[in-house]
Amino acid sequence: MTKLLNNWRLALYPVAGIVVILVVWQLYTDLFGVSQIVLPSPTDIWGAMVKNNSLLLRETWPTLLECIYGFALALALGIPIAVAVANSRTLNLILYPILIATQSIPKVAVAPIILIWFGIGMESKLAIAFLVAFFPIVVDTATGLRATPPGLIELARSLRASPSQVFWKVQFPAALPFIFAGSKVAVTLAVIGAVIGEFVGSNEGLGNLLLTANSQLNSPLAWAALVWLSALGIGLFVIVVIAEKIFMPWAEGGH
Amino acid sequence: MAHANVQETGPAGWTEKASTLPVIGKFRDVRQEFLRKTGNPLLAIEEISFDLFEGHLVSLLGPSGCGKTTFLKIVAGLVKGYTGTVQINGVDVTDPHPDVGFVFQQPNLMPWRTVIKNVTLPMEIRKEAGPEATARAHELLKLVGLEGFEDAYPNQLSGGMQQRVALCRALVHSPKLLLMDEPFGALDELTRMDMHDLLLDIREKTGATCLFVTHSISEAVYLSDIVVVFSQRPAVIADFIEIDLAYPRTPETRYSADFTALEHRASRALGITR
Ligand SMILES: Nc1ncnc2c1ncn2[C@@H]1O[C@H](COP(=O)(O)OP(=O)(O)O)[C@@H](O)[C@H]1O
Ligand SMILES: [Mg+2]
């Protein structure tokens, strides 16, 4: 009974929080006559979203692809590199400083250079999304592989498992929770990366739309693009969470 | 002083009754030093020699940190760098032997595998997975009273249930030799006594030879044909005790005078009583 009540609270409280903010926001802009350019009210933004629905939908597509491709590439390259770093001391010594160094370069600063290399099309955004998503995946995966309980590895050895069996049957599944933790961070970063890319130079995507609307002082549309961008980020995050539930059913109900 | 008893029993591990049985494990002058980063090496095992006869359940009894786990892992092929002779069926141990099952102190179950998949893991690794292996796993789970838990995940089971799954996993490939490292150490007294009878039952049914590590005197005496008492580190054999209590052993066995006398002898060898 109390559990049911708690579940209700779990759903109700966040929604209530958002509703309160929206109401206060609406009242503030209405009562004080705030200019639509400075701060559009929630109903202004809603209006812009309805009016520009097809435009927003069209511009979401390239941004979504940039994020997904960048994130997928980060997974495809990040996991093998993490495996190398986790299993070889030499490779670890060679690669880790490089990883840290590339990570400490501000991505906004390299974006213009990447634009020169890859042009104004999708490739440059994909590259920036990849760059920001890559690091958390490598670090978390390597941490997970190293954190494999030694007892499980010893058990596999006692069963005469080959090195590849030890990896696929023990290390990799043991690292999965870490890989998903890294992926959740990476996928939200990928959205930021794609938008940075679009800001620096692009003629499509939600980031580009936001910038254009802003320069035309069309704040409701800029905010509408912002809402869509957030929805995109949340949507991608939720997809990773669902994948986690599917691929790690054992985590259900435990700890 | 500790060596004196070894002399009394003649050639280590040799007994009149057992001498007719084939030897499955032969251990001579086994010595293990661990190299440490900080200074001098650590001598874990000084000298262990005895024979392990087929079908026997032999306990290695000794104080914490005396080298029991180390010895068992040497036999399992998991610890290298020992000197002396360690043979299973006449072959020197250098790697894990295919005919050996190992039960660790911790259940060491894969949390991402269901109970049945944990039990069939050894068969998978041997590339012998299939309906036969699954059927055998079901059979073993039934034997240890875990029927109906096949599709549960380890984190849904109690410690005792997890250790029973680990026991099934160690038995699934029908090993000739079962090595157990304080498998019931983390369990409460009642569960532990249940597990003792379960283990004796399994031994009866499978005919496997067992080498069982423990620091519990009563556990060693209750289970074993022979108790090998290890001294403090570095380990030597402090006593070699034949347990002349008839099988099947029952809870009553624990209260017989013979049982108490044997416990007393083991506790003297451990230096607890005089
Ligand atoms: N790999 C190792 N490296 C260094 N020292 C070890 C290693 N394994 C065990 N030891 C040491 O050897 C001694 C015996 O350990 P162990 O065999 O685990 O004892 P027991 O199982 O009887 O409690 C301990 O002092 C332990 O610290
Ligand atoms: Mg131990």
Side-chain angles (χ1 to χ4, degrees), chain A residues 112-131:
Chain A
I113 300 171
I114 286 173
L115 221 72
I116 291 175
W117 289 349
F118 293 100
I120 205 162
M122 171 168 293
E123 292 81 358
S124 55
K125 284 83 200 169
L126 189 162
I128 298 166
F130 159 77
L131 269 184

Side-chain angles (χ1 to χ4, degrees), chain B residues 112-162:
Chain B
W112 51 88
R113 283 177 170 256
T114 56
V115 164
I116 189 88
K117 285 282 178 189
N118 264 290
V119 176
T120 53
L121 176 70
M123 305 308 280
E124 243 177 70
I125 287 177
R126 290 160 164 253
K127 305 202 162 63
E128 289 169 20
E132 246 171 78
T134 309
R136 164 119 179 111
H138 276 289
E139 205 176 286
L140 285 166
L141 286 169
K142 193 172 163 188
L143 186 65
V144 302
L146 283 178
E147 213 178 4
F149 288 93
E150 287 84 354
D151 297 322
Y153 284 101
N155 65 0
Q156 298 167 321
L157 305 182
S158 70
M161 292 159 93
Q162 291 189 15

Side-chain angles (χ1 to χ4, degrees), chain A residues 19 25 28 30-31 59 77 84 92 158 168:
Chain A
V19 168
W25 181 352
Y28 172 71
D30 285 352
L31 293 177
E59 297 300 330
L77 290 181
N92 186 29
S158 82
W168 286 113

Side-chain angles (χ1 to χ4, degrees), chain A residues 154-155 160 165 169 173 250, chain B residues 73 96 111-112 124-125 155:
Chain A
E154 191 169 44
L155 167 87
R160 302 161 58 85
Q165 282 178 325
K169 295 199 187 290
W250 67 89
Chain B
K73 284 187 178 171
W112 51 88
E124 243 177 70
I125 287 177
N155 65 0

Side-chain angles (χ1 to χ4, degrees), chain B residues 103-109 115 118-119 137 139-147 149 157-172 178 180 183-184 187-188 190-192 194-199 202:
Chain B
V103 182
F104 292 84
Q105 208 162 347
Q106 275 77 37
N108 282 343
L109 300 177
V115 164
N118 264 290
V119 176
E139 205 176 286
L140 285 166
L141 286 169
K142 193 172 163 188
L143 186 65
V144 302
L146 283 178
E147 213 178 4
F149 288 93
L157 305 182
S158 70
M161 292 159 93
Q162 291 189 15
Q163 202 52 287
R164 277 183 274 166
V165 177
L167 192 57
C168 292
R169 177 181 58 194
L171 291 166
V172 74
L178 188 58
M180 286 170 280
F184 313 139
L187 307 182
D188 64 83
L190 286 176
T191 315
R192 189 202 270 247
D194 279 346
M195 295 295 280
H196 291 159
D197 294 326
L198 175 66
L199 176 61
I202 283 172

Side-chain angles (χ1 to χ4, degrees), chain A residues 79-89 140-157 161-180 248 250, chain B residues 108-113 121 125:
Chain A
I79 291 177
I81 288 179
V83 171
V85 165
N87 288 310
S88 154
R89 206 173 141 63
D140 281 12
T141 305
T143 306
L145 291 170
R146 284 216 200 86
T148 309
L152 297 190
I153 293 180
E154 191 169 44
L155 167 87
R157 281 214 297 133
S162 68
S164 90
Q165 282 178 325
V166 171
F167 178 77
W168 286 113
K169 295 199 187 290
V170 185
Q171 276 189 296
F172 186 75
L176 263 187
F178 292 80
I179 295 175
F180 275 108
M248 295 173 38
W250 67 89
Chain B
N108 282 343
L109 300 177
M110 311 283 163
W112 51 88
R113 283 177 170 256
L121 176 70
I125 287 177

Side-chain angles (χ1 to χ4, degrees), chain B residues 22-36:
Chain B
V23 173
I24 183 165
K26 183 176 170 187
F27 316 118
R28 289 287 178 279
D29 307 322
V30 180
R31 179 186 173 90
Q32 175 76 48
E33 258 182 2
F34 286 114
L35 296 173
R36 285 184 300 188

